[in-house]
Amino acid sequence: MKPLIRSAALNGYIELSRSLGVDPQPLLRSVGLDAAALAVQDRWISGAAGVRLLELTAAAAHHEDFGLRLAEYRRLSTLGPIGLVVREEPDVRSAISLLVRHEHMYNEVLHTRLSEAQGLATLKVALDVGESVEHRQATDLAVAAYHRVLRSFLGEHWQPLTVCFTCPAPADSAPYRRFFGPTVEFEREFDGIVFYASDLSARNALSDPQLRTYAQQYFEAIAAPRDHSAADRVRELIEVLLPTGRCSVEQVAHSLGVDRRTVHRRLADSDETFSSLLNATRRQLTEQLVANPRRSLTDISTLLGFSSPSAFSRWFSAQFGCSAREWRARRRAGQSAGQE
């Protein structure tokens, strides 16, 4: 299976696209994504789809600096739970090292290496999309995001010695110099940032030693290596695709960068089928959605990918042995009895 990214990697994408006069919906659909896939930050989506999306949007907007502009939306919170721990690390070295060591928790495409030699620190960024695809915008975004992290610790006036890109210089390099400063260089041997190693020893003035202990305990509870099983990846994509009405094994295979037979084969290794995962995921989501009285059953049927409310009603009765209205009423009655 090809690498995935958290949907949070595209935070601000819709807003930025519209601000540049681009309708994001057709572009999202062209790579097999949907706005619903970006609404929940902790959803995992196809890394290749995200990378292609950035290239297509940059071309549509006629802005070679689209990746840099998207980086402006980056916050530590974009990283998910690991952002909480990074914020409390005592110095820059430990913060960056933590991000590099656990980058699989927020981006499987990204591969970063931090090295120190002769008083210099070099942060090298590489992308492994799993297929041959142009990724200039994604690389710009990754380098710019790390630059923002460093500045969040070292101050807005901090400048690296060099910001390096392997790609040729764009037609207009002014946006790069505005973002990074005057030391941007193109056609270098790696993508990344070079700065004084002493910057890594800078203390984090925002760190609270007591809060850091709690943050580390929380992180240790969730930092186990992520299960990359085919079933888990398919289940996550089913959740994303259901509201779009295009949740099929073909669409899941497209998002993962494989064919449908490969999906079936990988699921069989886990004693699963696409149909069983689709049904199990629907059941889980159904219980959460129907339990919410503010959700209409018509809306729920759409969110679960049914072609009509009647199709949802038939499926619900077969799964739960009663209608959705009866199930909701019984649950409400049970909750009321428990409060007496």
Side-chain angles (χ1 to χ4, degrees):
M1 297 292 184
K2 295 183 179 179
L4 305 177
I5 59 175
R6 286 176 69 249
S7 56
L10 296 175
N11 268 7
Y13 167 78
I14 291 177
E15 297 90 332
L16 176 59
S17 298
R18 288 173 175 164
S19 73
L20 297 177
V22 174
D23 181 358
Q25 296 292 356
L27 295 174
L28 284 163
R29 286 195 295 270
S30 72
V31 298
L33 297 177
D34 187 270
L38 309 186
V40 181
Q41 291 197 354
D42 289 321
R43 292 278 172 81
W44 289 80
I45 60 176
S46 165
V51 170
R52 288 197 299 269
L53 178 66
L54 296 183
E55 294 298 325
L56 290 171
T57 312
H62 304 292
H63 276 281
E64 288 186 288
D65 63 335
F66 188 84
L68 299 186
R69 288 171 179 257
L70 192 58
E72 296 285 359
Y73 291 82
R74 286 294 176 273
R75 305 290 184 272
L76 284 179
S77 59
T78 306
L79 299 169
I82 194 174
L84 297 173
V85 190
V86 169
R87 187 182 60 191
E88 300 304 329
E89 287 299 291
D91 54 47
V92 178
R93 180 179 285 101
S94 59
I96 298 299
S97 296
L98 187 71
L99 284 177
V100 172
R101 189 164 61 252
H102 294 285
E103 62 190 3
H104 67 278
M105 292 186 64
Y106 55 91
N107 193 323
E108 295 177 351
V109 168
L110 184 62
H111 298 276
T112 312
R113 186 162 62 90
L114 176 65
S115 60
E116 298 179 56
Q118 300 179 336
L120 299 180
T122 303
L123 187 69
K124 294 184 178 181
V125 172
L127 303 184
D128 180 8
V129 184
E131 61 182 75
S132 179
V133 58
E134 177 62 38
H135 52 75
R136 178 169 189 160
Q137 298 301 322
T139 298
D140 286 357
L141 173 59
V143 174
Y146 265 115
H147 184 271
R148 284 181 63 83
V149 169
L150 287 165
R151 274 199 167 177
S152 70
F153 289 112
L154 296 168
E156 286 299 314
H157 298 294
W158 172 81
Q159 290 286 349
L161 295 173
T162 314
V163 177
C164 306
F165 290 100
T166 57
C167 60
D172 181 9
S173 62
Y176 288 80
R177 304 195 186 283
R178 282 196 297 270
F179 192 100
F180 297 110
T183 57
V184 180
E185 297 183 8
F186 297 93
E187 297 187 271
R188 293 290 300 270
E189 65 278 10
F190 67 91
D191 297 295
I193 305 172
V194 180
F195 52 101
Y196 288 117
S198 57
D199 289 338
L200 291 170
S201 300
R203 306 298 296 176
N204 176 13
L206 299 178
S207 177
D208 182 332
Q210 291 184 326
L211 187 56
R212 183 186 180 220
T213 300
Y214 290 116
Q216 286 181 323
Q217 290 173 348
Y218 164 69
F219 185 67
E220 288 171 1
I222 63 171
R226 186 169 176 267
D227 186 355
H228 298 293
S229 74
D232 286 334
R233 289 187 169 186
V234 170
R235 188 180 294 109
E236 289 166 348
L237 286 169
I238 286 173
E239 288 192 26
V240 171
L241 292 170
L242 276 174
T244 71
R246 296 182 289 110
C247 185
S248 64
V249 65
E250 289 82 6
Q251 187 62 49
V252 167
H254 176 73
S255 296
L256 292 172
V258 298
D259 57 38
R260 59 178 294 171
R261 286 180 294 182
T262 299
V263 173
H264 286 311
R265 187 171 62 252
R266 297 286 178 83
L267 291 180
D269 292 339
S270 303
D271 295 323
E272 295 278 7
T273 66
F274 180 77
S275 296
S276 67
L277 283 179
L278 174 60
N279 201 62
T281 304
R282 270 180 166 158
R283 277 189 63 99
Q284 179 185 359
L285 294 174
T286 295
E287 293 188 11
Q288 298 171 3
L289 293 170
V290 177
N292 183 350
R294 290 175 294 180
R295 288 278 191 185
S296 74
L297 297 182
T298 299
D299 287 343
I300 292 173
S301 70
T302 300
L303 290 171
L304 294 174
F306 287 97
S307 58
S308 66
S310 60
F312 168 62
S313 296
R314 289 192 297 271
W315 175 85
F316 191 98
S317 296
Q319 294 292 317
F320 296 91
C322 64
S323 71
R325 294 185 189 281
E326 291 171 336
W327 189 93
R328 176 178 278 177
R330 291 174 187 173
R331 181 181 177 87
R332 190 180 305 166
Q335 290 175 336
S336 298
Q339 294 172 356
E340 293 177 356

